[in-house]
Each structure stands twice: as structure tokens, then as C-alpha cells.
Amino acid sequence: MLTLVDQLGAGPWILPTVFALVLLDALLVVVPGELAVSAAGALSTATGSPPLPALIAVAAVAAATGDLLCYLVGRAVRPARLPAAARSIVEGPRVQRALAWAATRLDRSMAGVVFTARFIPFARLAVNLTAGATRIPLRRYLSAVIPAALAWALYQSVIGAALGVVFQGAPLLAVGVAVAVAMGLGIAIDLLVARRRR
């Protein structure tokens, strides 16, 4: 198992896999992009590969690209044009609450909302779709998305990297703990957001 973990970290597919998962995570919140970045961060310091700066760069580019794709979808697609199954999801109460929250906040403080939403999966999706649908200028939008993506990538990578240092001799344990911590932080953020809404 340790050999497999070492090979995964040193193999040529770790960074493309992280890129793909983070990109998909921006579009489909059920994809574990955060977990992939934290796990790769743990591998980075526990095994020496992938290089931490490369991981941060790949995760940031993937996050910004995914958020931009959501923005473009928001500009192009109107709910009335969606198939019935997709429309029922978009018109569901959870998505509608997130969209209403995003639209209100985008009017007040676009940069702060985009930055905060990058760390909250459903809010991130809602904010990026709403930013596109409300025709926020692309240059203004990117000026918030790029720093937010970089901060998110740094945050997720450093969590994993710190745990990789703590569990230096046990890369498998480092990855497992990094995934558990990333999941726990995600749940805690979701709970705080829900409590604040109430």
C-alpha cells in the first residue's frame, strides 16, 4: 500500500487528476476537488511529490477555470430553456435560496462574495452562475475569481502539506487524515453558513 501511495504521488497523473477533479468540482459540487488538493498536499510533504508550488498552481488554475465556466454557463443559459429534469433541480428550494443569496450579495460586494463563495460549494456554484446571468463584466469578475482561486488552492494545499509533515513517515496516514480534515472543515463551513442564514 505504501508503494502504491508513493507511486501515485510520483506518477505523471497526480497533477492532471487534481486539475480534472477541481475543474469538475466547480461545475458539479459532488466531485471531491477539495479532498483531492488536500490529499495531494499531504503526499507532497510526506513523499516529496508532487511539488507543492506546482500543486498550488494547478489547483488555482483549475478552480479559476471552473468558476469561469460556471460564469459563462450563467451568461448563456436561462432556466426556461433547460430540459424539465434540469429545470426541476435549478428551481429546487436549496438552489433557489443559494441563487437569491448570491444575487443580493453580488449587488453589494462582488469581490467579497466571489472570494467567500469559493470556499462554500453550493454558494460557489450559485455565485458564479448568478454573476454570469446578471452580466457582471468579465474583467471585473476575473479580478475577483483569480485571487479567490489562488487563496483557495493555497489553503487546501497547505492543510494537506501540514498534515504530511506531521505524519512524515506515514504517507498513507497523512493522506487519510488530510481527507478527513478537509471533509470536516467543509462540513463546519456549511454548518456555519446555515446557522448564519437562520
Side-chain angles (χ1 to χ4, degrees):
M1 187 62 99
L2 290 176
T3 303
L4 179 64
V5 170
D6 285 339
Q7 288 173 350
L8 177 64
W13 294 105
I14 186 75
L15 291 176
T17 300
V18 167
F19 183 91
L21 289 172
V22 170
L23 181 68
L24 286 172
D25 180 35
L27 302 165
L28 306 166
V29 294
V30 295
V31 176
E34 285 93 350
L35 303 183
V37 176
S38 294
L43 278 176
S44 176
T45 52
T47 67
S49 182
L52 191 58
L55 172 63
I56 293 166
V58 164
V61 169
T65 303
D67 290 350
L68 177 60
L69 287 174
C70 282
Y71 170 88
L72 295 174
V73 167
R75 281 188 83 118
V77 176
R78 301 283 183 230
R81 297 182 190 165
L82 293 172
R87 193 170 44 246
S88 69
I89 293 170
V90 171
E91 292 173 350
R94 185 171 185 173
V95 172
Q96 285 303 305
R97 280 194 307 270
L99 287 171
W101 174 85
T104 303
R105 299 309 184 283
L106 281 170
D107 283 341
R108 293 186 205 151
S109 172
M110 201 265 312
V113 171
V114 168
F115 196 94
T116 303
R118 171 93 284 281
F119 293 82
I120 307 166
F122 281 103
R124 174 173 64 232
L125 182 63
V127 164
N128 292 320
L129 289 171
T130 304
T134 57
R135 300 281 198 252
I136 286 179
L138 181 61
R139 181 177 289 177
R140 182 175 171 221
Y141 173 75
L142 288 176
S143 71
V145 163
I146 292 170
L150 182 58
W152 175 86
L154 188 61
Y155 167 76
Q156 294 297 338
S157 299
V158 167
I159 287 172
L163 291 166
V165 168
V166 170
F167 300 104
Q168 187 70 40
L172 187 59
L173 182 59
V175 169
V177 172
V179 167
V181 167
M183 286 176 67
L185 288 172
I187 291 167
I189 289 170
D190 284 343
L191 291 173
L192 286 172
V193 168
R195 176 178 284 183
R196 187 168 180 182
R197 267 197 210 128
R198 273 187 250 122

